[in-house]
């Protein structure tokens, strides 16, 4: 018998979390695994709503109430099968989705002040149990098809598309300029949010499924887009967005002012056990430094939390709006505060201070206030004339967001339609671009977004690619 609706007697509970003092000493994930009974008990808090708002809030429309019920009944294998039917990598989403902005924020229990069902950690638990019990197997297609598909980018969009295409029996080739599969899952997101082994075991499964990865292959430099289109029956562009947004302020050329992704990539290499050359090591070493991170999104949170784990003397996050209006997940801000990060709200950098040609020594910050809401209903940040202050800094990390690279130039594809923001113009419902047979998914379509959206778009793009390829095969 299932025990649901337990939210009155059972309070919401997360698995054991490392203390802040211990967490800043390591790069391990924050939460321990759920003990089996506790996961089932937490799943049993679900109120089994007739209209599940959590499912609506999940970009993959995961069938959350049903897999929670199965988990509450200790039917973990069925729970896993159901959860995996809509999500290629549930254990990754369970770890890094901002649930406080997606499924959990819409949970009826949250709305009625009982605290949401802890959906993310239960999703992670169900899939980790499946790994433990050897239930997750590489794809073996029923029939091999002769058509091949080329995918540009081995991030979550490319990985999810590759798996979906192998399920359908296509020959899949993935091209990536990095030396590892995973995109930002490996070189962007730090280990304490997503341990690299979690991505690596998925990569091994994809390889065992027959996906061919061509790493260290930059499309546009090592192989042309035209060659890829000629070689494959369809092409998926899933190469993300990598151009860091710029800041125009005096002193930008001082040493010690770094871009967030360069900083995080270097530290991710270290977590992977790679050797950094001495110059790179010295450049990104924050030991004993006063670090100022500029920005209020999740990338900024990853930078502050990486710095604090690397023995920085102090870590300050400068953000031009206030806590309520920041784009990052509130949960990540709480984690950062617990770990000793100082938040300087309503501050914007006006100039970076130091001797020309030398290292940055400080930041002149402008006091801001919140003005009227803009078109996205976010309050504008307005400068308060004459109110400035100096913050000491010998390392500044800029985490101001990302834009698409110059795609037409990179791919030498003048007929590839782009949006005003430089992203590839494609419908998120079918991934079709302006070039027949070429599809796009993930950040390169949406702009900097989330892993769960990249997976969702890849699945939709593959579905329409399959329809188009089979229609062509019939008419040939
Ligand atoms: C620091 C950071 C933290 C983040 N934290 C989270 C989080 O906690 N939760 C969350 O959901 N999302 C998070 N995100 C966002 C998330 O990582 C992205 O939305 C997601 O990775 C997008 O997937 P993608 O496959 O479209 O692109 P990517 O992951 O960027 O993968 C694109 C791949 O394409 C390759 N590539 C690029 N150009 C070429 C080329 N010309 N030739 C060959 N290969 C190429 C790249 O090497 C890369 O491997 C974070 C992002 C950053 C930067
Ligand atoms: S995929 Fe993300 S949004 Fe969907 S249920 Fe899982 S954690 Fe929630």
């Amino acid at each position: 018998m299932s025990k649901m609706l337990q939210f009155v007697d059972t309070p919401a509970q997360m698995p054991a979390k490392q203390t802040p003092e211990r967490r800043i000493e390591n790069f391990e994930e924050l939460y321990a695994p759920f003990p089996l009974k506790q996961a089932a008990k937490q799943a049993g808090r679900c109120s089994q709503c007739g209209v599940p708002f959590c499912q609506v809030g999940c970009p993959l429309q995961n069938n959350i109430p049903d897999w929670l019920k199965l988990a509450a009944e200790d039917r973990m294998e069925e729970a896993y099968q159901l959860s995996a039917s809509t999500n290629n990598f549930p254990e990754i989403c369970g770890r890094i989705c901002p649930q406080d902005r997606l499924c959990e924020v819409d949970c009826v229990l949250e709305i009625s002040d009982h605290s949401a069902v802890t959906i993310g950690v239960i999703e992670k638990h169900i899939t980790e149990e499946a790994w433990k019990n050897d239930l997750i197997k590489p794809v073996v297609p029923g029939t091999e098809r002769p058509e091949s598909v080329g995918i540009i980018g081995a991030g979550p969009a490319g990985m999810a598309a590759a798996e979906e295409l192998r399920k359908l029996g296509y020959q899949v080739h993935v091209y990536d300029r990095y030396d590892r599969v995973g995109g930002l899952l490996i070189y962007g997101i730090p280990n304490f949010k997503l341990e690299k082994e979690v991505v690596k075991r998925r990569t091994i499964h994809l390889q065992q499924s027959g996906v061919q990865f061509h790493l260290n292959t930059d499309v546009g430099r090592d192989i042309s887009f035209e060659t890829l289109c000629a070689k494959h029956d369809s092409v998926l562009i899933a190469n993300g967005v990598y151009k860091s947004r710029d800041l125009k302020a005096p002193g930008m050329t001082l040493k010690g002012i770094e871009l967030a992704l360069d900083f995080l990539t270097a530290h991710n290499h270290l977590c992977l056990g790679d050797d950094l050359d001495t110059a790179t090591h010295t450049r990104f070493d924050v030991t004993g430094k006063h670090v100022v991170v500029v920005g209020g999104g999740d990338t900024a949170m990853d930078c502050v939390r990486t710095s604090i784990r690397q023995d920085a003397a102090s870590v300050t996050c400068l953000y031009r709006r206030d806590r309520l209006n920041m784009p990052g997940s509130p949960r990540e801000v709480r984690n950062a505060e617990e770990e000793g990060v100082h938040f300087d709200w309503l501050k914007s950098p006006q100039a970076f201070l130091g001797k020309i040609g030398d290292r940055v020594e400080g930041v002149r910050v402008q006091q801001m206030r919140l003005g009227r809401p803009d078109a996205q209903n976010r309050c504008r940040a307005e400068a308060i004339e004459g109110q400035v202050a100096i913050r000491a800094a010998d390392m500044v990390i800029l985490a101001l967001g990302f834009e698409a690279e110059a795609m037409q130039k990179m791919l030498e594809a003048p007929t590839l339609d782009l949006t005003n923001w430089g992203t590839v113009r494609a419908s998120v419902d079918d991934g079709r671009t302006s070039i027949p047979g070429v599809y796009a998914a993930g950040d390169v379509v949406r702009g900097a977004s989330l892993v769960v959206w990249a997976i969702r778009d890849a699945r939709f793009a593959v579905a329409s690619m399959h329809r188009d390829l089979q229609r062509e095969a019939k008419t040939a």
Side-chain angles (χ1 to χ4, degrees):
M1 251 313 264
S2 75
K3 280 199 162 175
M4 303 308 287
L5 295 141
Q6 298 300 305
F7 60 90
V8 179
D9 299 326
T10 309
Q13 216 176 19
M14 293 289 277
K17 192 178 179 185
Q18 289 188 59
T19 61
E21 295 74 27
R22 196 174 118 58
R23 343 207 259 254
I24 59 173
E25 297 295 324
N26 67 63
F27 270 79
E28 288 159 22
E29 285 180 9
L30 264 54
Y31 292 100
F34 249 147
L36 210 59
K37 284 228 160 61
Q38 196 185 350
K41 210 164 172 208
Q42 285 297 304
R45 294 184 68 246
C46 172
S47 67
Q48 298 285 289
C49 307
V51 179
F53 294 147
C54 55
Q55 185 170 8
V56 179
C58 168
L60 290 160
Q61 312 266 280
N62 280 343
N63 196 341
I64 303 165
D66 283 1
W67 49 250
L68 286 174
K69 186 166 185 290
L70 290 166
E73 291 169 356
D74 237 347
R75 293 159 66 188
M76 287 296 171
E77 179 170 351
E78 290 157 89
Y80 167 70
Q81 300 298 354
L82 188 60
S83 141
S85 67
T86 50
N87 188 352
N88 298 77
F89 313 122
E91 75 282 27
I92 296 181
C93 293
R95 283 171 164 89
I96 60 167
C97 271
Q99 288 95 12
D100 52 2
R101 285 191 265 146
L102 298 171
C103 53
E104 290 179 18
V105 75
D106 285 332
C107 174
V108 162
L109 301 189
E110 181 71 21
I111 300 165
S112 62
D113 276 350
H114 284 89
S115 294
V117 176
T118 47
I119 298 169
V121 287
I122 298 171
E123 185 179 28
K124 169 185 158 191
H125 172 84
I126 292 169
T127 323
E128 288 304 331
E129 283 299 303
W131 277 106
K132 223 185 319 173
N133 295 318
D134 205 19
L135 298 174
I136 306 183
K137 304 281 184 205
V139 170
V140 181
T143 336
E144 289 290 348
R145 293 179 196 271
E147 299 99 326
S148 78
V149 177
I151 298 177
I152 310 173
M159 290 171 77
E163 186 173 78
E164 289 302 295
L165 285 160
R166 280 306 289 147
K167 284 181 192 165
L168 294 164
Y170 290 101
Q171 309 309 309
V172 183
H173 293 256
V174 185
Y175 303 82
D176 201 291
R177 62 180 166 199
Y178 282 155
D179 57 345
R180 287 184 172 92
V181 174
L184 291 172
L185 299 179
I186 288 285
Y187 286 125
I189 300 173
N191 221 56
F192 52 81
K193 273 167 58 181
L194 176 66
E195 286 177 2
K196 306 296 167 205
E197 287 306 318
V198 175
V199 185
K200 276 197 217 161
R201 67 185 172 190
R202 283 288 178 185
T203 304
I204 294 168
H205 264 212
L206 288 173
Q207 283 162 333
Q208 290 170 344
S209 306
V211 176
Q212 301 210 31
F213 289 102
H214 307 266
L215 300 178
N216 298 306
T217 306
D218 193 318
V219 177
R221 193 191 64 196
D222 303 318
I223 184 167
S224 72
F225 177 63
E226 198 183 354
T227 309
L228 277 197
C229 292
K231 208 167 154 189
H232 299 291
D233 297 280
S234 262
V235 168
L236 177 75
I237 305 175
N239 65 333
V241 288
Y242 281 86
K243 190 167 152 245
S244 298
R245 282 212 188 101
D246 226 4
L247 179 70
K248 288 188 179 37
M252 275 292 287
T253 54
L254 290 167
K255 294 190 187 106
I257 301 181
E258 302 292 352
L259 297 175
L261 200 55
D262 294 343
F263 173 77
L264 292 172
T265 304
H267 285 281
N268 275 314
H269 273 295
L270 289 176
C271 276
L272 286 155
D274 297 346
D275 282 334
L276 292 182
D277 60 68
T278 316
T280 312
H281 201 284
T282 314
R283 183 172 153 201
F284 294 111
D285 186 8
V286 295
T287 316
K289 294 200 172 97
H290 295 284
V291 179
V292 168
V293 176
V294 182
D298 288 336
T299 303
M301 294 311 104
D302 290 346
C303 291
V304 292
R305 299 180 64 205
T306 297
S307 303
I308 209 110
R309 280 166 174 72
Q310 295 285 10
D311 291 332
S314 70
V315 183
T316 304
C317 179
L318 285 188
Y319 183 54
R320 63 194 168 134
R321 294 189 175 90
D322 64 359
R323 179 192 287 266
L324 269 181
N325 288 280
M326 75 181 295
S329 148
R331 188 182 58 186
E332 293 301 296
V333 179
R334 269 198 309 277
N335 281 332
E337 281 181 325
E338 284 169 12
E339 289 164 12
V341 173
H342 170 69
F343 283 83
D344 217 349
W345 306 112
L346 291 162
K347 299 284 183 318
S348 179
Q350 200 185 51
F352 300 102
L353 311 173
K355 293 187 198 77
I356 296 171
D358 220 331
R359 217 180 156 80
V360 63
E361 289 170 6
V363 188
R364 191 165 68 228
V365 296
Q366 166 72 62
Q367 180 68 48
M368 312 296 283
R369 68 170 159 231
L370 292 179
R372 297 159 76 92
D374 61 15
Q376 279 86 43
N377 213 19
R378 286 178 70 207
C379 293
R380 281 175 221 274
E382 296 169 352
I384 306 179
E385 215 41 38
Q387 283 197 26
V388 290
I390 308 288
R391 299 281 178 267
D394 30 29
M395 177 100 161
V396 174
I397 304 171
L398 303 176
L400 302 165
F402 302 95
E403 291 167 3
E405 289 165 271
M407 289 295 293
Q408 288 176 339
K409 199 166 154 222
M410 179 204 276
L411 299 180
E412 292 183 62
T415 57
L416 183 69
D417 269 4
L418 303 181
T419 64
N420 294 343
W421 296 273
T423 49
V424 172
R425 190 182 294 283
S427 156
V428 288
D429 291 331
D430 60 31
R432 292 190 184 101
T433 69
S434 55
I435 305 178
V438 175
Y439 303 76
D443 279 6
V444 76
V445 176
R446 288 183 183 269
S449 177
L450 293 172
V451 169
V452 65
W453 283 111
I455 297 172
R456 181 256 181 220
D457 293 353
R459 293 170 69 95
F460 276 61
V462 166
S464 63
M465 186 187 280
H466 176 52
R467 277 196 302 274
D468 293 350
L469 281 170
Q470 292 318 303
R471 197 179 308 122
E472 274 169 35
K474 274 194 196 126
T475 52

